[in-house]
Amino acid sequence: MAEVRESKQQGAAEEEETMQGARGADYEGMRIHSVRLPGLIAHQQVQFGAEGQGLTIRHDSYDRISFMSGVAFSIRKTAELDTLVYGLENLI
């Protein structure tokens, strides 16, 4: 996104952040937030917006069972390896 996104500072120009990081991390003009709460297994949400419109993409995991197919896949693949592989993305 950062490669193709036109540089733009989010928020009002006169906005003052009185608590460092309260408005989210600033990555190349994109605000990134993280929420950790008891009872939330995994919820990811990406929001895009423009004047008068918005697009939200959201994924929710309500139970850890949703991760088990990935765990089983990893175990099977690991049994086939004879070298160190760092990162699940390198097994897929």
Side-chain angles (χ1 to χ4, degrees):
M1 285 188 285
E3 290 177 14
V4 297
R5 181 178 180 266
E6 189 177 301
S7 182
K8 180 179 178 184
Q9 187 60 40
Q10 293 183 335
E14 68 279 352
E15 182 178 86
E16 184 179 323
E17 185 176 51
T18 58
M19 181 182 278
Q20 181 69 27
R23 300 264 182 196
D26 187 337
Y27 178 76
E28 298 188 17
M30 292 177 278
R31 294 293 187 169
I32 301 172
H33 301 269
S34 179
V35 177
R36 305 276 193 267
L37 293 171
L40 294 181
I41 303 298
H43 304 277
Q44 296 82 33
Q45 181 171 303
V46 179
Q47 291 180 292
F48 302 94
E51 192 171 334
Q53 63 182 327
L55 169 66
T56 301
I57 302 171
R58 181 177 169 126
H59 171 263
D60 298 302
S61 289
Y62 303 108
D63 192 292
R64 293 192 189 331
I65 192 73
S66 64
F67 302 110
M68 291 307 113
S69 59
V71 170
F73 170 82
S74 299
I75 291 169
R76 285 192 301 273
K77 281 297 208 177
T78 301
E80 300 170 5
L81 297 173
D82 58 0
T83 61
L84 176 66
V85 175
Y86 182 80
L88 181 60
E89 70 275 9
N90 295 310
L91 294 178
I92 297 175

